[in-house]
């Protein structure tokens, strides 16, 4: 797969889901070769999953599982990371969120999918116990 035009990556139709976060990959987040640590990317995906699930559940949430996680391409210093979320399933207390992270390469308009994963979030009450996700209004 090669970096192609804006919002494209050969074999993909562009990002799936709602743009939930955009941020800049900085030198402090990279190794000596200029590649961004995978843990930093996963952390941003986890935050986006939390925003998405909290919006849906209207409660605090916690990550109970990361079911799949694939790193397809490296993220480099200076890339702008865009994180997209879409709800795959709503259970009684859980919300399963598909997350895609796309990197806009430094000083280009090229955006490429770098990471995708499925995060399971649980709605919590004030005591930190699972609570039913309300029906969608
Ligand atoms: C989230 C937490 C409160 C859930 O407690 P629990 O006793 O497992 O609660 P339950 O068994 O009732 O499960 C709650 C929901 O999570 C789902 N779930 C639990 N474990 C799961 C797993 N491994 N994978 C997918 N879903 C899971 C259950 O199916 C249930 O969903 P449903 O109500 O839609 O059917 C508890 O596991 C916890 O506090 N975990 C730590 C969370 C955390 O700190 N996350 C940040 C990472 S450091």
């Amino acid at each position: 797969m090669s970096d192609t035009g804006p919002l494209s990556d050969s074999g993909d139709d562009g990002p799936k889901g709602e743009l939930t976060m955009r941020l800049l990959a900085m030198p402090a987040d990279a190794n000596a070769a200029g590649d961004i640590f995978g843990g930093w990317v996963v952390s941003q995906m986890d935050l986006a999953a939390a925003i998405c699930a909290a919006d849906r559940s209207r409660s605090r949430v916690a990550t109970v599982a990361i079911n799949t996680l694939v790193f397809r391409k490296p993220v480099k210093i200076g890339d702008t990371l865009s994180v997209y979320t879409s709800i795959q399933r709503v259970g009684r207390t859980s919300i399963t969120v598909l997350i895609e992270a796309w990197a806009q390469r430094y000083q280009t308009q090229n955006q490429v999918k770098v990471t995708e994963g499925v995060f399971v979030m649980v709605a919590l009450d004030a005591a930190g116990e699972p609570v039913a996700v309300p029906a969608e209004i």
Side-chain angles (χ1 to χ4, degrees):
M1 257 171 290
S2 60
D3 292 11
T4 53
L7 295 185
S8 67
D9 179 17
S10 54
D12 284 310
D13 297 330
K16 286 189 205 71
E18 184 176 339
L19 178 61
T20 307
M21 287 177 29
R22 284 188 89 209
L23 61 163
L24 194 57
M26 297 297 283
D29 307 314
N31 63 21
D35 290 325
I36 298 297
F37 295 117
W40 181 84
V41 178
V42 176
S43 174
Q44 309 316 319
M45 295 170 78
D46 193 35
L47 289 172
I51 290 169
C52 173
D55 278 352
R56 175 62 184 80
S57 67
R58 285 169 264 141
S59 69
R60 59 186 267 206
V61 296
T63 312
V64 73
I66 299 176
N67 281 349
T68 66
L69 187 61
V70 180
F71 295 98
R72 291 161 49 117
K73 304 265 188 191
V75 179
K76 302 279 187 182
I77 292 170
D79 288 353
T80 299
L81 194 75
S82 296
V83 188
Y84 297 83
T85 60
S86 49
I87 292 176
Q88 277 195 326
R89 177 181 177 272
V90 178
R92 194 184 78 80
T93 65
S94 67
I95 299 172
T96 302
V97 186
L98 173 69
I99 315 285
E100 291 188 0
W102 288 66
Q104 182 179 336
R105 299 306 189 192
Y106 185 55
Q107 293 186 325
T108 77
Q109 293 300 306
N110 293 345
Q111 187 161 270
V112 59
K113 180 155 71 175
V114 290
T115 308
E116 59 200 330
V118 175
F119 288 53
V120 183
M121 315 302 288
V122 177
L124 301 178
D125 64 16
E129 295 299 326
V131 65
V133 177
E136 208 162 12
I137 299 172

